[in-house]
Amino acid sequence: MIPRYSRPEMVSVWEPANRFRIWFEIESHACDAQAKLGIIPQKAADSVRTYGNKPYTPERIARIDAIEQTTKHDVIAFTTELAEHIGEDARFVHQGMTSSDVLDTCLAVQLTQASDILLKDIDALLDALKARAMEHRLTVCMGRSHGIHAEPVTMGLKFAGFHAEFQRARARLLQARENIATCAISGAVGTFANIDPFVEEYVAEKLGLKPEPLSTQVIPRDRHAEYFATLGVIASSIERIATEIRHLQRTELREAEEFFSEGQKGSSAMPHKRNPILTENLTGLARLVRGYAIPAMENVALWHERDISHSSVERMIAPDATITLDFALARLTSVVRNLVIYPEAIERNLNQMGGLIFSQRILLALTQAGVSREDAYTLVQRNAMKVWQGKSDLLSILKQDKDITTHIPETDLTKLFDLGYHTRHVDTIFRRVFGEKIV
């Protein structure tokens, strides 16, 4: 991923130094386990840890890369360079193992590391969404369906809904993290013919993983498909919030707006422009993360016990998907925290349609007064259409309709035009979302 959309902590997960460090830990722990079984001398396992446990500096990484130019095999290049530090006891490294044991186990560690960063990102976003939800719990605004005025909601309910969605996102990511965190040290085609299952169990425990119940020569890729699909769903939730903000920022609405800092420029041609560039950017990044889920799913069907058609895919999508999502979550958190809300515009839009937003309450009042639903709908709609044509506001028109006032007195009609009616259960919804008493 390009530096523009990268953050250092997540980038470091995918840097060669971290990858080679994990490879070393896998090999070293495997040697310790082999020594406990009496398969290799304890002295050899100690030598691996003592002489191989050095930082993966740029010089060491360059040496591994140089060896790979000849071997055309990254794991062999790694073990060859490692042997240069360990000496004679290096012959015991990688005993009974295959390259996938190292690569797949390492990828599991990296994806769990990435997950932990993403979980922190989601927690920060949840905090921001909750703060804005509480701030605007009773800020009544226009609810829309099909982009058209429907009935009142509150701005706080919008944020609370997003909060509930990211609670689900967090639960999904935890589940995906658990399912991806498996270790395979089972040797060629996964039969443990040349390595004891204890080695896998030992390495798994040391790395905070679980032994894969049955690996072939690779960890089954349905686990990875689930993981990247989960990232795709999270990205879609990011886009949902971004799209809502983009709509609310339109000039015709301007109920909310991305923070526009002093000195910021919106257009190279039009000095007046204040564009929703951050949420537009998030919409684009979400498309990328979703896109990575498709090749991950296509990786599930490998030939027989393994092939490497998945390898090139994962080398690209694993860092790109996690780095992109990390950046997107952090950017969205900043947008939510700094989002500017315009109460005057919200009120203006609420009143824009002359009370049409109360049409359902009039409909229900008529049915409760004994009018059939079909007739009540017709009565309210014929008056509502006059408001659409700009003839007057709904309450005034209804008061002039004897078919309405016969069933609902004018004083009762006025009482039906009450915004508080639409917010009376807001606290109940908030308790469901946040699980606490709302003050």
Side-chain angles (χ1 to χ4, degrees), residues 303-322:
W303 284 21
H304 304 300
E305 278 58 58
R306 68 117 11 143
D307 64 56
I308 64 164
S309 60
H310 66 287
S311 177
S312 57
V313 174
E314 290 169 356
R315 288 174 192 260
M316 296 182 71
I317 70 171
D320 280 8
T322 53

Side-chain angles (χ1 to χ4, degrees), residues 43-106:
K43 170 185 168 296
D46 293 341
S47 293
V48 171
R49 174 62 62 178
T50 300
Y51 299 111
N53 189 18
K54 298 176 181 178
Y56 279 90
T57 60
E59 291 75 22
R60 284 195 75 181
I61 294 169
R63 174 60 180 155
I64 295 170
D65 291 342
I67 296 171
E68 188 179 353
Q69 292 298 310
T70 300
T71 63
K72 306 297 191 292
H73 194 291
D74 53 356
V75 175
I76 293 176
F78 168 79
T79 56
T80 300
E81 191 274 344
L82 186 60
E84 294 174 351
H85 296 272
I86 296 171
E88 183 181 348
D89 286 332
R91 70 184 190 276
F92 295 111
V93 172
H94 207 68
Q95 285 245 326
M97 295 168 61
T98 187
S99 298
S100 294
D101 291 336
V102 176
L103 296 172
D104 276 12
T105 301
C106 175

Side-chain angles (χ1 to χ4, degrees), residues 184-200 212-213 215:
I185 310 286
S186 54
V189 301
T191 61
F192 295 102
N194 296 298
I195 192 165
D196 193 285
F198 170 76
V199 177
E200 182 181 71
E212 178 62 45
S215 54

Side-chain angles (χ1 to χ4, degrees), residues 1-222:
M1 180 51 60
I2 62 174
R4 185 181 184 92
Y5 302 127
S6 305
R7 301 204 306 158
E9 184 181 13
M10 185 65 84
V11 169
S12 68
V13 170
W14 303 105
E15 288 178 340
N18 187 52
R19 181 174 74 253
F20 291 141
R21 163 55 53 186
I22 297 168
W23 286 11
F24 171 76
E25 293 297 331
I26 293 168
E27 296 285 8
S28 180
H29 289 316
C31 286
D32 290 338
Q34 302 263 26
K36 290 179 183 298
L37 293 170
I39 295 171
I40 71 172
Q42 183 62 55
K43 170 185 168 296
D46 293 341
S47 293
V48 171
R49 174 62 62 178
T50 300
Y51 299 111
N53 189 18
K54 298 176 181 178
Y56 279 90
T57 60
E59 291 75 22
R60 284 195 75 181
I61 294 169
R63 174 60 180 155
I64 295 170
D65 291 342
I67 296 171
E68 188 179 353
Q69 292 298 310
T70 300
T71 63
K72 306 297 191 292
H73 194 291
D74 53 356
V75 175
I76 293 176
F78 168 79
T79 56
T80 300
E81 191 274 344
L82 186 60
E84 294 174 351
H85 296 272
I86 296 171
E88 183 181 348
D89 286 332
R91 70 184 190 276
F92 295 111
V93 172
H94 207 68
Q95 285 245 326
M97 295 168 61
T98 187
S99 298
S100 294
D101 291 336
V102 176
L103 296 172
D104 276 12
T105 301
C106 175
L107 181 58
V109 173
Q110 288 175 298
L111 289 176
T112 56
Q113 291 176 342
S115 298
D116 291 340
I117 296 172
L118 293 173
L119 287 166
K120 288 191 298 183
D121 293 341
I122 291 175
D123 286 342
L125 177 57
L126 285 169
D127 288 343
L129 290 169
K130 181 177 180 180
R132 299 315 300 267
M134 295 300 179
E135 178 187 356
H136 292 285
R137 178 172 58 96
L138 295 178
T139 302
V140 183
C141 63
M142 196 63 252
R144 300 171 176 89
S145 56
H146 307 276
I148 307 300
H149 285 204
E151 293 188 352
V153 295
T154 77
M155 195 64 74
L157 283 174
K158 290 178 182 285
F159 288 115
F162 297 143
H163 189 282
E165 186 165 346
F166 272 91
Q167 286 177 330
R168 296 190 294 274
R170 192 181 197 285
R172 289 189 195 102
L173 183 55
L174 277 173
Q175 182 66 43
R177 182 193 186 283
E178 179 179 351
N179 288 338
I180 203 66
T182 64
C183 170
I185 310 286
S186 54
V189 301
T191 61
F192 295 102
N194 296 298
I195 192 165
D196 193 285
F198 170 76
V199 177
E200 182 181 71
E201 296 166 3
Y202 184 87
V203 174
E205 182 181 2
K206 291 295 183 180
L207 297 178
L209 306 175
K210 303 182 301 292
E212 178 62 45
L214 197 161
S215 54
T216 53
Q217 193 163 317
V218 293
I219 291 173
R221 256 47 197 178
D222 64 288

Side-chain angles (χ1 to χ4, degrees), residues 261-425:
S261 61
E262 186 173 350
Q264 183 175 340
K265 303 291 188 285
S267 166
S268 63
M270 297 169 282
H272 73 278
K273 293 298 292 296
R274 289 158 68 118
N275 301 325
I277 57 171
L278 299 178
T279 45
E280 288 175 338
N281 169 260
L282 289 171
T283 299
L285 295 178
R287 292 170 185 166
L288 283 175
V289 178
R290 279 197 302 273
Y292 299 132
I294 299 300
M297 292 179 187
E298 293 178 346
N299 280 348
V300 174
L302 302 179
W303 284 21
H304 304 300
E305 278 58 58
R306 68 117 11 143
D307 64 56
I308 64 164
S309 60
H310 66 287
S311 177
S312 57
V313 174
E314 290 169 356
R315 288 174 192 260
M316 296 182 71
I317 70 171
D320 280 8
T322 53
I323 289 171
T324 303
L325 188 60
D326 169 57
F327 179 89
L329 286 166
R331 169 157 285 183
L332 180 59
T333 300
S334 177
V335 168
V336 170
R337 284 174 178 161
N338 297 300
L339 190 69
V340 181
I341 306 294
Y342 293 109
E344 298 84 1
I346 290 172
E347 185 175 2
R348 182 183 67 244
N349 290 332
L350 269 172
N351 298 325
Q352 183 180 22
M353 296 306 295
L356 287 181
I357 58 179
F358 298 103
S359 70
Q360 181 178 189
R361 195 170 184 202
I362 308 304
L363 166 67
L364 296 177
L366 285 169
T367 62
Q368 291 162 3
V371 183
S372 72
R373 183 176 179 86
E374 292 74 16
D375 289 343
Y377 193 102
T378 299
L379 288 173
V380 177
Q381 187 182 43
R382 80 183 185 195
N383 287 288
M385 292 306 105
K386 296 175 184 178
V387 179
W388 275 105
Q389 295 162 8
K391 293 182 178 179
S392 184
D393 64 275
L394 183 60
L395 179 58
S396 298
I397 291 176
L398 290 175
K399 287 180 177 180
Q400 297 170 16
D401 189 332
K402 296 301 182 183
D403 291 334
I404 298 289
T405 56
T406 296
H407 300 284
I408 308 175
E410 288 188 17
T411 54
D412 292 342
L413 271 175
T414 302
K415 293 176 183 177
L416 297 177
F417 285 70
D418 173 27
L419 287 175
Y421 174 84
H422 293 275
T423 62
R424 58 202 174 108
H425 295 304

